[in-house]
Amino acid sequence: MKRLLVIEDGTEYSEFARLFLGDGFVVASAFSAAEALAQLAGGGADALLIDLRFDRAPRELLFGDVRETAARLFAGDQPRALRYLQDQQGTLILAALRAAGHTQPAVFVHDFPPRRLENLRRLYGRVAAVPAFDAAAIRAAFEARP
Amino acid sequence: MSKQQRARLLHDVGKYVARTARNLPAGTAPPALVAMLARDLYALRDGKRASVVLDELAVGLAGPSLERARARLAEADALEQPLRAGDPIAVARGANIACEVEALLRALVDEAL
């Protein structure tokens, strides 16, 4: 059985994965970049299913520094920087995982515009996105050849 | 309402309300899937019904797709008791409604383009 690591700020993805992808994957969960890195260093995974928005995660669990992001991207506007970190957390976590050498295929359940998805692939390799919680489409995305 | 707000409605309501409904197997749904469908419809976010989350996020917005989504979720709310009890007709109708609401909220995003 393949191992799927679900990274999200709630339980909706992992519940979905256990019920609808459980015939092909053993599902593990992580709720932050740090947890995901620890799990991948420990037991590894064959594939990643990643939530994009982490608006329920406590600020201290978000990957990325609010002040630094505010200074770098938003002229010091910290509330805007926090929203950015929440809204893009899934891709920021993926960047951290790739930087640590984890190259597993990653799937987002999100309707990315084509150019954005292209850019994610250019930066992070095997990345796919499906617009809805469609188990067959997610399974196909994991199996697709790079 | 901005395109971004419409996208949020699609994400926070449309995507999650259809999470189970899109994947229900043919025939009678097992209790675990009925319970999950009930959570999608009646405890979508912070324990709030999908209809309530929709109303909260749609403040200031009007339009035919939104009104139809509201009407469908009101219908789903009325089905709660038989759906939770696993009545096959209520489960099938609830699942159809969930998928229809997702499609309507996707249309709402497209209307803004």
Side-chain angles (χ1 to χ4, degrees), chain B residues 5-16:
Chain B
Q5 287 171 300
R6 290 169 193 255
R8 179 153 191 183
L9 259 180
L10 173 60
H11 178 274
D12 287 11
V13 180
K15 183 173 114 179
Y16 286 99

Side-chain angles (χ1 to χ4, degrees), chain A residues 33-45:
Chain A
E35 269 190 41
L37 285 164
Q39 292 225 23
L40 290 173

Side-chain angles (χ1 to χ4, degrees), chain A residues 13 15 55 109 133 135, chain B residues 15 19 23 36 39 45 106:
Chain A
Y13 279 64
E15 185 182 42
D55 56 350
V109 182
F133 279 105
Chain B
K15 183 173 114 179
R19 179 183 64 142
N23 301 284
M36 193 169 146
R39 280 195 291 281
R45 198 174 174 86
R106 197 169 294 283

Side-chain angles (χ1 to χ4, degrees), chain B residues 3-71:
Chain B
K3 185 183 162 194
Q4 199 175 19
Q5 287 171 300
R6 290 169 193 255
R8 179 153 191 183
L9 259 180
L10 173 60
H11 178 274
D12 287 11
V13 180
K15 183 173 114 179
Y16 286 99
V17 80
R19 179 183 64 142
T20 311
R22 276 182 158 272
N23 301 284
L24 279 181
T28 305
L33 295 188
V34 172
M36 193 169 146
L37 176 65
R39 280 195 291 281
D40 294 347
L41 287 166
Y42 309 125
L44 183 73
R45 198 174 174 86
D46 301 328
K48 293 175 186 169
R49 295 169 176 278
S51 57
V52 172
V53 180
L54 180 82
D55 282 342
E56 287 178 355
L57 295 177
V59 170
L61 181 67
S65 297
L66 181 63
E67 293 318 312
R68 283 171 62 196
R70 274 206 178 99

Side-chain angles (χ1 to χ4, degrees), chain A residues 68-140:
Chain A
E68 184 276 325
T69 305
R72 185 166 47 90
L73 298 176
F74 301 109
D77 186 338
Q78 291 194 27
R80 235 180 121 195
L82 177 59
R83 275 199 306 277
Y84 168 82
L85 291 179
Q86 291 171 327
D87 288 350
Q88 301 302 324
Q89 187 63 195
T91 56
L92 298 171
I93 290 174
L94 180 61
L97 301 185
R98 295 304 197 229
H102 302 293
T103 58
Q104 296 88 341
V107 171
F108 290 92
V109 182
H110 191 77
D111 202 358
F112 285 116
R115 282 186 62 184
R116 177 89 200 282
L117 186 56
E118 228 171 81
N119 195 42
L120 288 172
R121 285 179 175 146
R122 190 174 53 76
L123 291 168
Y124 307 127
R126 292 186 66 185
V127 181
V130 295
F133 279 105
D134 179 333
I138 292 170
R139 219 175 271 123

